[in-house]
Amino acid sequence: MLQQTTVAAVKPYFLHFLDRWPSVEQLADADPQEVMAAWAGLGYYARARNMLACARTVAAQHQGRFPEGVKALRCLPGIGEYTSAAIAAIAFDEPVAVVDGNVERVVSRLYAIETPLPAAKPRIRDLVQEMTPSERPGDFAQAMMDLGATICTPKRPACAICPLSAPCLARAEGRQEFFPVKAPKRAKPQRRGAAFVAMRQGDGAIWLRRRPESGMLGGMVEPPTTAWSVKADGAIGAESAPFAAGWELAGTASHGFTHFDLTLDVWRAVAPADPQSDGWWATPERLDEEGLPTVMKKVVAVALPGIIFRRRPGRAAP
DNA sequence: TACGCGTGGAT
DNA sequence: TATCCAAGCGT
């Protein structure tokens, strides 16, 4: 959960998952759709699929206990170089280099590394491996990460109280804010599409479907949307709807993803009882449990201004 | 190696 | 408002 995600965002999800699936075996036996719904709002949904696959592997092939050693850990789904090293060092006392974004920043300043990231990663990993003590390597790893998170921060690092200020080469030159050097990132393209929110007469249930397992929002629930194409001028027409109905334009929903910005035209209609399309009806009370990703909650909110999503772990309803 | 992959808080 | 960035991974 903590991969590329802050502790504050993760905490309520983590507590809920531990409560709902307290052991590796229980998670391994979980309903995948329920796991995806429980992850909704946390982002990077491949992590949820990987975590479930990881639990199944640990349960089936390792008697429900995580294997010791970075190499065995590294073979598990969703556990890469950082996570395998963190588990090995913190849980199994293995003196391996644990390098996350915080440590990259600390070390790049400590040695004033001019090579841009991510090209500098191998060099940083070697330096951290040299620094890692054989005694309490897990505490060392967490101390380095916490140093980066609380003192050696991206903006305005607190060098005055930093235990590494004396040997820090960047600090000596007064250039700490210029590290780490990063490769330039490309501009975010704009994309456009349409979403179709169909309501059933009577109970106001909404027509939903599940997205393909791979790709954007893989395995997540949505009101039907078109493909998201390179931005064109003007609204996308109701002829793109998954079924015929009295579609009317309700507005637009915008959402920024990591690598593009999306604008969706939101169409609304009272639909036939049987749309003759892949999907299912979800009543307003059930919408929370369906676990819509954030962009889809925005879509529904545009179509139905009265709707309120409650179960966003740890956050007030919008 | 470079890119695809979410979301929300801080500045 | 715009930008950055967070306990990265898989392909």
Side-chain angles (χ1 to χ4, degrees):
Chain A
M1 285 180 175
L2 286 165
Q3 290 164 359
Q4 292 286 282
T5 306
T6 58
V7 170
V10 161
K11 186 176 178 183
Y13 286 86
F14 177 73
L15 295 175
H16 173 71
F17 267 74
L18 279 194
D19 181 59
R20 180 64 187 81
W21 299 287
S23 71
V24 173
E25 286 89 350
Q26 285 167 291
L27 182 60
D29 289 335
D31 170 11
Q33 297 186 356
E34 188 185 352
V35 172
M36 297 310 291
W39 198 280
L42 199 50
Y44 283 148
Y45 298 100
R47 294 181 300 174
R49 298 193 296 274
N50 289 335
M51 189 176 72
L52 183 53
C54 181
R56 288 175 171 173
T57 301
V58 171
Q61 300 179 19
H62 299 282
Q63 296 79 47
R65 304 277 299 181
F66 275 79
E68 299 191 20
V70 279
K71 282 201 288 188
L73 289 163
R74 181 69 180 75
C75 295
L76 295 168
I79 297 189
E81 181 164 358
Y82 160 75
T83 307
S84 59
I87 295 172
I90 296 169
F92 300 129
D93 238 18
E94 191 175 337
V96 289
V98 179
V99 183
D100 73 336
N102 291 302
V103 177
E104 285 176 357
R105 184 171 55 255
V106 170
V107 173
S108 69
R109 286 171 175 168
L110 189 57
Y111 292 92
I113 295 174
E114 306 283 356
T115 306
L117 285 172
K121 282 189 173 191
R123 169 76 174 142
I124 291 173
R125 193 194 62 77
D126 290 345
L127 289 167
V128 173
Q129 185 64 64
E130 293 236 345
M131 302 167 61
T132 299
S134 54
E135 298 285 321
R136 299 169 61 192
D139 287 346
F140 174 77
Q142 295 188 73
M144 288 289 281
M145 292 190 282
D146 284 343
L147 180 67
T150 62
I151 292 176
C152 194
T153 51
K155 310 284 184 187
R156 299 181 47 176
C159 300
I161 60 170
C162 179
L164 295 182
S165 63
C168 182
L169 297 183
R171 169 65 170 168
E173 302 170 1
R175 298 169 59 216
Q176 59 270 19
E177 295 238 32
F178 295 97
F179 296 95
V181 181
K182 296 200 168 183
K185 49 191 68 172
R186 298 178 321 186
K188 268 192 193 179
Q190 304 288 320
R191 292 195 193 183
R192 183 142 195 155
F196 298 92
V197 179
M199 277 185 310
R200 184 165 63 184
Q201 202 145 31
D203 62 356
I206 291 172
W207 187 252
L208 299 177
R209 67 182 185 185
R210 192 171 297 277
R211 295 176 60 83
E213 287 299 311
S214 61
M216 278 296 295
L217 307 178
M220 300 303 289
V221 174
E222 67 170 8
T225 67
T226 63
W228 307 339
S229 58
V230 175
K231 190 167 186 174
D233 290 334
I236 293 174
E239 71 277 0
S240 303
F243 47 83
W247 297 108
E248 57 177 9
L249 194 57
T252 64
S254 295
H255 189 73
F257 291 104
T258 308
H259 51 297
F260 64 90
D261 291 321
L262 177 67
T263 301
L264 292 173
D265 296 309
V266 179
W267 294 83
R268 170 177 56 201
V270 175
D274 179 9
Q276 298 186 325
S277 178
D278 284 335
W280 67 90
W281 292 109
T283 59
E285 313 83 69
R286 273 207 42 103
L287 265 186
D288 286 325
E289 307 165 37
E290 294 285 356
L292 272 60
T294 299
V295 61
M296 298 307 167
K297 289 182 179 176
K298 290 182 181 178
V299 165
V300 174
V302 167
L304 312 172
I307 202 78
I308 294 178
F309 291 100
R310 287 186 185 76
R311 213 194 49 140
R312 294 173 71 182
R315 245 166 252 108

